[in-house]
Amino acid sequence: MIHDSRWDPTVTRLRGAKRVVALTGAGISAESGVPTFRGPEGLWKNFRPEDLATPEAFARDPQLVWEWYIWRRGRIAPCAPNPAHHALVTLEQRIPDFTLITQNVDGLHRRARSRNVLHLHGTIWEVRCTGCGRVEENRDPDLAFPPLCPACGKLRRPNVVWFGEALDPTILSRAEEALQKCEILLVVGTSAVVQPAASMALWAKKAGAYVVEINLEPTPLSRAVDMSFQGKAGEILPRML
Ligand code: BJW
């Protein structure tokens, strides 16, 4: 393997680091076969976010929204974690204080056995009652419509965060805390356009972290970070470790 000196500062820092955060987006699961949102093959190419990923869309046509989520569950279910997910598990085992913040709802980090995972945008494998708020795991591939709450009889929705909705304040403050104190932040496979996740690299940088981006292409963050690697997460992350 050819030695590339651009890797040295990151590799050296990772070796000595005690507090590391990884922030991941849809790109980390792309090599597992999970569709991303943006880009030529992305979900938003064929679907409009405002028709499917907003509370207004769900209020207007819950069946349409549920059909989309059931279809996505079917796409995700056969997908397995890839070398990038596994590399982050290895990193967690080496670093005393490691936090994985993910925007992904696919559950692949947990399946890979990452332990300290903060799901900023929820999970596609849970349902939440719009009446009483009860949350339950649900992996039913043929979820019948309408999915009603066994406790209060109201309609249940996917337990994800749609545009215009607030993130869980507990998860957000745990993420903020980890970003404030980390020495290194790895930003992997996110287009960095959806807030507040898109600002997290800047928060960490301001607090003194060394920020490394891994993405197939440049993003709005690329100029602001300390090091930007272009390529597949499933190739770069294992090599970096
Ligand atoms: C690879 C690769 C490989 C490919 N290797 N790389 C401030 C300014 C402007 C707007 C806002 C703002 N604050 C809030 C907003 C509004 C909005 C927002 O950000 N809009 C922007 C689009 C303009 N944000 C919100 O509404 C958020 N809520 C909020 O802030 O609430 C405030 C509030 C407070 C109090 C009361 C009420 C409200 C919520 C955002 C929720 C986002 N939800 C979704 C859907 C989740 C459920 C689901 O999955 O169905 O989350 S949208 C979608 O985008 C999903 C993703 O998590 C998110 C980010 O996408 P991501 O992960 O970056 O994926 P892609 O596809 O965009 O990019 C993939 C990248 O990977 C690409 O760069 C590729 O190059 C790369 N890649 N293969 C490495 N192998």
Side-chain angles (χ1 to χ4, degrees):
M1 194 179 292
I2 301 163
H3 180 77
D4 181 346
S5 60
R6 283 186 74 241
W7 293 64
D8 294 349
T10 307
V11 170
T12 308
R13 279 181 160 86
L14 276 175
R15 257 189 214 129
K18 297 205 164 36
R19 293 179 298 280
V20 174
V21 173
L23 168 65
T24 66
I28 197 167
S29 296
E31 290 159 72
S32 296
V34 179
T36 61
F37 292 91
R38 294 160 190 88
E41 310 277 312
L43 291 168
W44 298 151
K45 200 83 188 156
N46 297 315
F47 305 99
R48 288 174 3 131
E50 56 271 33
D51 290 342
L52 296 163
T54 64
E56 293 78 17
F58 189 71
R60 206 167 41 236
D61 194 344
Q63 183 158 3
L64 176 75
V65 173
W66 259 119
E67 277 168 7
W68 188 60
Y69 277 92
I70 296 294
W71 170 77
R72 281 180 57 205
R73 283 187 189 207
R75 288 284 311 256
I76 296 169
C79 298
N82 68 56
H85 297 102
H86 294 304
L88 293 180
V89 177
T90 306
L91 190 60
E92 182 167 29
Q93 288 160 356
R94 286 188 200 162
I95 304 286
D97 186 345
F98 179 84
T99 305
L100 176 43
I101 305 171
T102 188
Q103 299 170 81
N104 299 346
V105 299
D106 57 33
L108 289 182
H109 286 303
R110 282 267 164 77
R111 272 190 59 195
R113 298 266 183 274
S114 277
R115 294 162 70 96
N116 192 21
V117 188
L118 299 176
H119 288 100
L120 285 182
H121 295 162
T123 163
I124 203 164
W125 303 115
E126 285 177 357
V127 291
R128 184 169 89 236
C129 177
T130 56
C132 65
R134 175 171 154 153
V135 173
E136 260 177 27
E137 186 177 331
N138 182 297
R139 292 176 178 268
D140 187 351
D142 309 306
L143 194 70
F145 188 84
L148 298 178
C149 176
C152 75
K154 290 270 170 30
L155 185 61
R156 301 203 282 184
R157 56 166 280 179
N159 193 23
V160 299
V161 181
W162 287 321
F163 286 115
E165 292 187 317
L167 279 64
D168 179 325
T170 309
I171 291 175
L172 191 54
S173 70
R174 284 181 59 198
E176 280 168 348
E177 196 187 314
L179 291 159
Q180 277 298 319
K181 63 179 190 190
C182 69
E183 297 152 72
I184 304 180
L185 170 65
L186 304 175
V187 185
V188 187
T190 175
S191 57
V193 294
V194 174
Q195 299 292 351
S199 295
M200 289 184 173
L202 306 178
W203 302 347
K205 180 114 186 79
K206 203 168 162 206
Y210 186 80
V211 181
V212 179
E213 178 185 58
I214 299 166
N215 199 302
L216 279 185
E217 57 190 24
T219 74
L221 281 181
S222 303
R223 283 169 174 275
V225 298
D226 294 289
M227 195 59 80
S228 182
F229 294 105
Q230 272 180 42
K232 291 184 174 178
E235 291 169 7
I236 292 181
L237 268 175
R239 217 182 124 191
M240 189 177 273
L241 300 184

